[in-house]
Amino acid sequence: MLRQPVAWAAFLVALTAAERVREVRHSVPPRELCREVLPFPDSCDKLKTGWYKVNETGLQLQDCTISAGTDVKVQLDQPLIVHGNLTVQGSVTFEGPGTAFQQACLQVTDGVTISGSMVMKNCSNAGDSPWPCKDPGDNKGCGGCLQATSLSMEEGLLELRDCHSQGLGAGAALRSLRQRAGEMRFTKCAAEMQSGGGLYVGDLAQAGGQMTFKNCGASGAGGGLFARSTSTNGAILFEGCTAGRGGGAHVTGHLRQGPAGRLQCHGCTAKGSGGGCLSIYGNLMAEGYVEAVEVSAGSGGASVMWGFGHARFLSLSVSQARPPALLVNGLVAAQKLTSGPSKWALEVKAYEGIDVKSADCREVAECSFKVNEKWLTNFRQFLT
Ligand SMILES: *[C@@H]1O[C@H](CO)[C@@H](O)[C@H](O)[C@H]1NC(C)=O
Ligand SMILES: *[C@@H]1O[C@H](CO)[C@@H](O)[C@H](O)[C@H]1NC(C)=O
Ligand SMILES: *[C@@H]1O[C@H](CO)[C@@H](O)[C@H](O)[C@H]1NC(C)=O
């Protein structure tokens, strides 16, 4: 007598649970239909934690601060323009529709300062992009997700993913970028017609922190990064990035790396002539650690580097039979060159001379350095 109702109750409980599961599968609408989405206010002072939507054309704000402790999600059905500065102390996510605007999802006429967390995704810019990017607003085609005059990364996170642009800098187009600490991630950003898949920047100064470019691409130069000048004393990783030249990065001026710097290219490709990892028109002066693993180029040099201190190559693979690992028009000086097991030769071609202190070529088929004594003196003077 007692056992039956218990069994019956258990059956009922099981049935309701099953029904509930079915109900969840079939009749609960997607989460966004349940949450309250407010129109984006005319001032960021009015933002509270929650969901907002920019759906009216031409919303323009005067300065904007995302205060500490707030978590704001913004759905961008239209682009957003901030006149003045954007300051992110709390957490903000901007999500575009994926379909193209005629400008970046977010334009900031002055600077962006991040000490909290800012995520941008699913943006596409089909605007015109004259060369080079000037002030925000002047060149509509610059920046897929973000266009700003300057960016200051103090700490926290900036993540730009699935950003596209017909113009320069699919993730972000900036005149200058300063990173003190924190993490910047560029993922699956593509400049389909131009340069700077992840980031197009005039002057990049990284004092610390980490920058990661993952699966970014450009049909022009700089699959991950395109910069006029770069100084770095933090970590930069290019992973699976592709471009016409400079699969990881293209720098039109100098690249200077401090002793705490780590620059790594993993699986990057230049489809055109040079620089599976880096193509640098100025000088490369690396006092830190440089590593290129599984880097390739269509023809010419797998990695084009202009003079460096310490460099290590674990496995540099190239698509042609014997393209040089390093192809430099000036001089190459290296404290240490190392190569992991691979079928290609660790070959360095420098038209003005080579000064390698130590090279570990045990595992490679060919390892040759031709030293031009005449130029060495000049080069040593250049280095000091
Ligand atoms: C924008 O969204 C708000 C709130 O969802 C709605 O009331 C308004 O009609 C929308 N405007 C346009 C232009 O779609
Ligand atoms: C933006 O910030 C910078 C430095 O923090 C300041 O010099 C500039 O005046 C600000 N711009 C505006 C429009 O407030
Ligand atoms: C991203 O954009 C595509 C259109 O390209 C759209 O179908 C998709 O829903 C968007 N994703 C999100 C998460 O909004």
Side-chain angles (χ1 to χ4, degrees):
M1 284 293 281
L2 265 176
R3 273 173 63 202
Q4 223 172 351
V6 170
W8 182 240
F11 174 71
L12 272 183
V13 167
L15 184 66
T16 9
E19 281 298 313
R20 214 179 297 134
V21 167
R22 197 176 312 151
E23 205 180 315
V24 166
R25 285 211 186 111
H26 295 287
S27 59
V28 171
R31 213 190 307 151
E32 54 265 34
L33 297 183
C34 294
R35 67 186 175 228
E36 193 191 8
V37 182
L38 300 167
F40 200 91
D42 56 8
S43 159
C44 290
D45 298 346
K46 297 175 186 163
L47 290 171
K48 297 192 174 72
T49 291
W51 289 81
Y52 296 88
K53 182 159 79 169
V54 175
N55 65 346
E56 313 277 347
T57 45
L59 177 59
Q60 311 211 357
L61 304 166
Q62 187 60 52
D63 293 322
C64 176
T65 297
I66 309 292
S67 315
T70 47
D71 183 2
V72 176
K73 307 257 193 281
V74 186
Q75 183 186 323
L76 296 172
D77 293 343
Q78 294 292 338
L80 181 63
I81 297 172
V82 175
H83 291 278
N85 292 313
L86 169 67
T87 308
V88 178
Q89 294 156 354
S91 169
V92 62
T93 300
F94 293 100
E95 189 163 331
T99 50
F101 297 144
Q102 294 297 311
Q103 60 178 74
C105 260
L106 175 64
Q107 269 188 18
V108 181
T109 62
D110 227 329
V112 178
T113 304
I114 297 173
S115 55
S117 156
M118 175 159 137
V119 176
M120 296 195 71
K121 54 190 170 185
N122 228 22
C123 292
S124 178
N125 182 347
D128 289 338
S129 181
W131 175 272
C133 291
K134 295 202 188 96
D135 294 325
D138 285 1
N139 301 155
K140 294 284 188 210
C142 292
C145 276
L146 172 68
Q147 187 192 6
T149 300
S150 64
L151 178 84
S152 178
M153 188 70 203
E154 301 296 323
E155 57 178 319
L157 173 73
L158 172 67
E159 179 172 6
L160 304 176
R161 63 159 59 228
D162 295 306
C163 308
H164 296 260
S165 175
Q166 301 289 297
L168 297 157
L174 308 165
R175 231 203 270 170
S176 67
L177 166 59
R178 235 151 253 290
Q179 183 179 20
R180 215 183 289 271
E183 193 181 351
M184 304 180 72
R185 282 186 220 144
F186 301 83
T187 309
K188 291 198 279 173
C189 293
E192 281 115 3
M193 313 285 285
Q194 287 245 21
S195 297
L199 171 65
Y200 169 93
V201 63
D203 300 305
L204 165 61
Q206 185 196 36
Q210 163 97 38
M211 293 179 94
T212 303
F213 299 85
K214 201 166 173 182
N215 301 328
C216 290
S219 65
L225 166 71
F226 183 107
R228 193 171 55 212
S229 75
T230 301
S231 73
T232 164
N233 204 20
I236 302 182
L237 169 65
F238 300 99
E239 201 178 298
C241 294
T242 305
R245 64 181 180 283
H250 177 86
V251 181
T252 57
H254 302 312
L255 193 159
R256 291 167 214 271
Q257 184 195 43
R262 282 181 73 82
L263 194 152
Q264 295 168 284
C265 289
H266 292 177
C268 295
T269 307
K271 290 188 172 151
S273 58
C277 176
L278 302 167
S279 76
I280 297 171
Y281 283 2
N283 299 310
L284 168 68
M285 287 163 277
E287 291 175 39
Y289 177 77
V290 178
E291 177 187 271
V293 183
E294 298 292 340
V295 171
S296 68
S299 62
S303 259
V304 182
M305 300 192 177
W306 295 70
F308 53 89
H310 306 288
R312 184 169 79 119
F313 300 97
L314 294 182
S315 147
L316 195 61
S317 65
V318 288
S319 59
Q320 286 204 340
R322 281 187 55 205
L326 301 172
L327 178 63
V328 175
N329 275 304
L331 301 131
V332 169
Q335 289 295 319
K336 192 175 158 203
L337 277 185
T338 314
S339 169
S342 71
K343 11 184 213 312
W344 64 276
L346 176 64
E347 188 187 349
V348 177
K349 271 200 180 152
Y351 291 100
E352 296 187 354
I354 295 165
D355 180 17
V356 175
K357 295 270 184 297
S358 95
D360 182 352
C361 302
R362 280 168 301 187
E363 309 260 15
V364 300
E366 191 179 325
C367 181
S368 60
F369 305 104
K370 215 170 68 202
V371 178
N372 179 336
E373 286 297 339
K374 183 182 134 208
W375 286 99
L376 276 186
T377 322
N378 297 350
F379 191 33
R380 292 205 177 99
Q381 279 164 2
F382 158 77
L383 286 177
T384 51

